[in-house]
Amino acid sequence: MGTKAKKAMKKNMKRATANKPSEGADFLPLEGGPPRKLAVQKPPENTATVLYVGRIPHGFYEKEMEGYFGQFGTIKRLRIARNKKTGKPRHFGFIEFESPEVAKIVADTMHNYLLFEHLLQVHVIPTEHVHPRLWRGFNYRYKPLDSVQIERKHHDKSDSQYNVLFLDVFIPQERTLEEHKKLVEKIMKHDQKRRKRIEAAGIEYECPEIMRQRKPADTMSRGFTRDCCFSKYAPKKMISDNYNSCIL
């Protein structure tokens, strides 16, 4: 074997050993070169500390939840969703723990847990899915509304509008200036919508004025005025062209 043949054999051996994958190699590059090994990807760390708690039973509110879930670990924040007007709970809430490990244990332990005939639904919320305004106003404690007091106010207001009795007929009192303005604005908005619907339908029609300019009394008047004699609440005996027949 000549010198050239030996050199060619050595080159072929080097190529074969270079292309041979090593034990720790994951793949061979298509463009050639030494085998490569993929970088070891570490599993993402669990940093979620916020829990969603659903199907919360009636009576199991902030204090009760803090005492119950506080057995697992330290609670940073807790919030129960409530109605803005009435303050009544909406039977779901959120809890934030200091440790993500504790949050995971609570989710695994309390999910589908039977509590006061309710199966709790507990899930871990990923950090990227937590709304930035989730904890806005979580320290606010709603005061329960007295439904009896609210109904009493509605009842008294409805009765006060018809507390003037004349000839066995109840006549409403005069509205205040603010109440009259609100009523006028409501009627005018409704009238404008009606006019727009008529124009959109292609109908040529001039809508008559539905209100006359009349200044209401500043306070609730308990007496009778001349206008009351010609209102629809006045008895027929009082309707007359003679103003002197009206009782002032």
Side-chain angles (χ1 to χ4, degrees):
M1 183 179 293
T3 307
K4 293 183 179 180
K6 288 182 180 180
K7 289 182 179 180
M9 187 181 294
K10 287 181 180 180
K11 287 182 180 180
N12 293 333
M13 291 293 292
K14 287 181 180 180
R15 290 177 182 176
T17 54
N19 295 332
K20 184 178 179 181
S22 60
E23 295 180 356
D26 293 327
F27 69 97
L28 291 173
L30 297 176
E31 64 274 7
R36 300 178 184 177
K37 189 175 182 179
L38 293 174
V40 179
Q41 296 181 355
K42 296 181 180 180
E45 296 181 0
N46 181 22
T47 58
T49 57
V50 181
L51 295 179
Y52 164 82
V53 184
R55 300 202 65 190
I56 300 174
H58 178 70
F60 194 67
Y61 300 146
E62 285 84 359
K63 290 184 179 180
E64 291 78 9
M65 290 184 68
E66 287 179 1
Y68 189 83
F69 287 98
Q71 303 176 86
F72 294 93
T74 306
I75 297 176
K76 291 180 63 177
R77 290 178 288 191
L78 185 146
R79 178 182 182 181
I80 294 180
R82 292 179 176 271
N83 189 297
K84 293 182 179 180
K85 292 184 178 180
T86 62
K88 293 183 178 181
R90 299 173 62 186
H91 303 287
F92 71 92
F94 304 91
I95 305 176
E96 183 180 9
F97 289 92
E98 286 188 352
S99 173
E101 290 78 10
V102 174
K104 188 176 184 306
I105 292 173
V106 174
D108 297 338
T109 307
M110 299 303 299
H111 184 60
N112 286 331
Y113 184 81
L114 183 63
L115 183 67
F116 296 109
E117 300 181 358
H118 283 249
L119 287 175
L120 294 180
Q121 302 297 311
V122 185
H123 304 286
V124 178
I125 303 178
T127 307
E128 60 273 12
H129 292 166
V130 177
H131 198 277
R133 298 176 62 184
L134 175 63
W135 302 110
R136 181 181 178 183
F138 74 97
N139 284 328
Y140 181 76
R141 293 294 181 264
Y142 288 88
K143 296 180 181 179
L145 298 178
D146 189 357
S147 58
V148 177
Q149 187 70 17
I150 295 173
E151 290 297 329
R152 184 180 290 114
K153 287 183 179 179
H154 287 301
H155 182 270
D156 295 344
K157 185 177 181 180
S158 61
D159 286 350
S160 64
Q161 295 178 358
Y162 299 94
N163 60 357
V164 178
L165 181 63
F166 181 76
L167 296 178
D168 298 333
V169 177
F170 285 101
I171 301 177
Q173 296 179 342
E174 293 288 341
R175 297 185 182 90
T176 61
L177 186 60
E178 294 181 358
E179 292 177 347
H180 183 76
K181 286 182 179 179
K182 290 182 180 179
L183 180 61
V184 171
E185 290 176 359
K186 183 177 179 181
I187 294 175
M188 295 304 295
K189 285 182 180 179
H190 181 73
D191 183 56
Q192 290 177 1
K193 291 181 180 179
R194 179 171 61 93
R195 292 172 184 267
K196 289 181 180 180
R197 288 198 300 267
I198 293 174
E199 292 178 0
I203 302 174
E204 295 182 359
Y205 176 73
E206 293 183 1
C207 298
E209 295 294 334
I210 60 175
M211 297 185 63
R212 63 175 181 174
Q213 298 295 330
R214 178 173 177 269
K215 186 177 180 181
D218 293 338
T219 58
M220 303 288 282
S221 174
R222 292 184 177 275
F224 295 101
T225 61
R226 292 183 177 181
D227 292 336
C228 76
C229 300
F230 301 94
S231 64
K232 63 179 180 180
Y233 299 99
K236 293 182 179 179
K237 294 180 181 180
M238 295 179 61
I239 301 177
S240 174
D241 294 333
N242 187 4
Y243 285 97
N244 296 326
S245 63
C246 296
I247 301 175
L248 300 178

